[in-house]
Amino acid sequence: MNTKSITTFFIIIFQIVSLNSNAQVLRKRNTMLMGGRFDITIVAKDSLSAEQSIDEVIVEISRIEYLISDWKPTTQISEVNQNAGICPVKVDKEVFELTQRALHFSEITNGGFDISFAAMDRIWKFDGSMTEMPSAEAIKKSVEKVGYKNIILDSINSTIFLKLKGMKIGFGALGEGYATNKCKEMMLAKGIEAGIVNGTGDMSTWGQQPNGKPWNIGITNPFHPEKLLAVVPLSGAVTTSGSYEKFVVFGGKRYSHIINPSTGYPVTGLCSVTVFGPNAEIANGLSTSLMVLGKTAGLSLLEKFPDYSCIMITDAGKVVKSKNFKIKKFKAKL
């Protein structure tokens, strides 16, 4: 688990349609926000409405970024981090409640998911420069400031306090999903009945294409990134966590760039997890958690979320579906 453990794993597949005078129009735009790429697609009654709606989505994502970013020094989360071990910091209700939900994930995963991972020492390098594993002592030291139990929330005063100096919290494993979900809710509230907001692989979709057909999402094959694992129709949220782009191999064992925050060791066993469900924030948290927990514990956790299903790809190339996998006629092509 790290600040940007999620990569773009989806291709939105649009069908070319013949639009009549009553049809809606589709507009797309991409931009860099929250440290990654956002692809925004809006279906509206005319081009002006669609472009204005995209502008509003970008403003909303920027607003969220300037609340929860831990790499921008003036955000509320940066203020929390700067006062670690010193004093509680009052935050907006929105930030407080997002932190509460993140801590819930930490509790149900026994620290497999942990927003205080932001304090982890970056001792693992995935740029080709590592020639040997870090020592066990260095790995243990790298996570000594990580620990969700040292995050103190005061709901009466809406404050967050990090007990240890040097602690940090960050939303790299929830923020994009939260932002895409908020944008979807905002667009539905203003009457935009269809669209997609894709934040570096954390995607919220709603409605249908202008031709009345479902959105089609192509999921990247983790062993052949230039190919698709599958194409699936989608209405709702989908997120993927994966490790196939950044990893090291020592002693024949593959270590991914997603780090278990409770141990300091890279996760092994799974190279990607894709989660489907109604809410991108929850799906985002689940996909990250499942990568860290592994196949058996991850599937057990998912049973607590009956509205969500997943596909796991193991390091050995096996496709594993959750019991409640809802997409019919799904066939993976590894």
Side-chain angles (χ1 to χ4, degrees):
M1 185 173 177
N2 63 19
T3 54
K4 294 301 296 179
S5 63
I6 314 298
T7 318
T8 302
F9 290 87
F10 303 111
I11 297 174
I12 304 167
I13 300 170
F14 300 103
Q15 295 182 343
I16 298 174
V17 296
S18 175
L19 299 179
N20 57 41
S21 58
N22 296 318
Q24 295 185 310
V25 301
L26 181 152
R27 289 291 180 268
K28 298 180 289 180
R29 199 186 308 169
N30 62 69
T31 186
M32 297 299 292
L33 290 163
M34 301 181 76
R37 172 170 162 159
F38 273 75
D39 295 284
I40 304 160
T41 303
I42 293 293
V43 177
K45 61 183 179 181
D46 55 55
S47 297
L48 180 60
S49 295
E51 293 293 346
Q52 287 177 339
S53 295
I54 292 175
D55 290 339
E56 291 172 18
V57 166
I58 290 173
V59 169
E60 175 68 358
I61 298 168
S62 298
R63 182 191 70 81
I64 293 170
E65 181 175 13
Y66 278 88
L67 275 180
I68 67 170
S69 167
D70 62 309
W71 62 87
K72 292 184 181 297
T74 58
T75 68
Q76 293 185 15
I77 291 302
S78 289
E79 186 180 357
V80 169
N81 293 341
Q82 291 157 11
N83 285 279
I86 302 171
C87 64
V89 173
K90 187 175 180 63
V91 298
D92 290 355
K93 179 182 178 182
E94 180 179 7
V95 175
F96 187 87
E97 292 179 346
L98 179 60
T99 306
Q100 276 186 316
R101 295 194 296 273
L103 285 180
H104 176 65
F105 264 110
S106 300
E107 290 163 358
I108 64 176
T109 60
N110 292 316
F113 179 100
D114 195 326
I115 59 167
S116 67
F117 75 95
M120 188 186 304
D121 292 335
R122 306 293 189 250
I123 61 171
W124 294 88
K125 308 296 181 184
F126 300 93
D127 56 4
S129 63
M130 285 186 73
T131 57
E132 60 182 7
M133 285 184 63
S135 68
E137 181 181 356
I139 293 170
K140 182 179 180 180
K141 183 175 174 54
S142 72
V143 293
E144 66 182 7
K145 296 295 177 64
V146 176
Y148 70 93
K149 292 181 180 179
N150 289 316
I151 302 172
I152 309 301
L153 301 185
D154 181 340
S155 58
I156 296 175
N157 296 304
S158 191
T159 61
I160 303 173
F161 178 49
L162 310 182
K163 289 173 65 176
L164 305 179
K165 274 213 160 190
M167 276 191 76
K168 295 179 182 179
I169 58 175
F171 291 94
L174 272 188
E176 286 88 352
Y178 173 69
T180 68
N181 206 64
K182 287 286 286 185
C183 291
K184 171 184 172 179
E185 292 173 353
M186 182 179 71
M187 289 293 101
L188 284 170
K190 69 168 283 187
I192 299 297
E193 297 179 355
I196 300 174
V197 183
N198 178 11
T200 55
D202 301 325
M203 185 183 299
S204 289
T205 76
W206 67 102
Q208 298 175 323
Q209 297 186 64
N211 62 358
K213 294 189 176 183
W215 299 112
N216 289 311
I217 310 300
I219 303 173
T220 299
N221 184 328
F223 294 102
H224 303 284
E226 73 284 359
K227 298 180 180 179
L228 294 179
L229 174 71
V231 176
V232 298
L234 183 69
S235 179
V238 57
T239 70
T240 288
S241 295
S243 62
Y244 62 81
E245 290 186 329
K246 295 179 182 179
F247 60 89
V248 292
V249 179
F250 294 122
K253 191 172 184 178
R254 188 174 176 276
Y255 296 89
S256 86
H257 77 295
I258 299 177
I259 310 295
N260 184 329
S262 64
T263 67
Y265 283 85
V267 303
T268 61
L270 297 174
C271 66
S272 77
V273 175
T274 300
V275 173
F276 304 87
N279 182 297
E281 178 193 329
I282 295 173
N284 195 177
L286 285 171
S287 62
T288 302
S289 299
L290 269 57
M291 276 293 295
V292 173
L293 294 175
K295 183 180 74 171
T296 303
L299 291 174
S300 178
L301 171 67
L302 196 64
E303 290 178 2
K304 299 176 182 178
F305 296 83
D307 292 334
Y308 295 80
S309 60
C310 80
I311 307 163
M312 297 176 169
I313 311 296
T314 70
D315 287 346
K318 183 179 179 181
V319 179
V320 180
K321 303 175 191 174
S322 60
K323 291 179 182 178
N324 65 339
F325 189 71
K326 297 176 173 65
I327 298 175
K328 298 178 180 179
K329 298 181 181 179
F330 176 87
K331 186 175 181 181
K333 298 178 182 179
L334 286 173

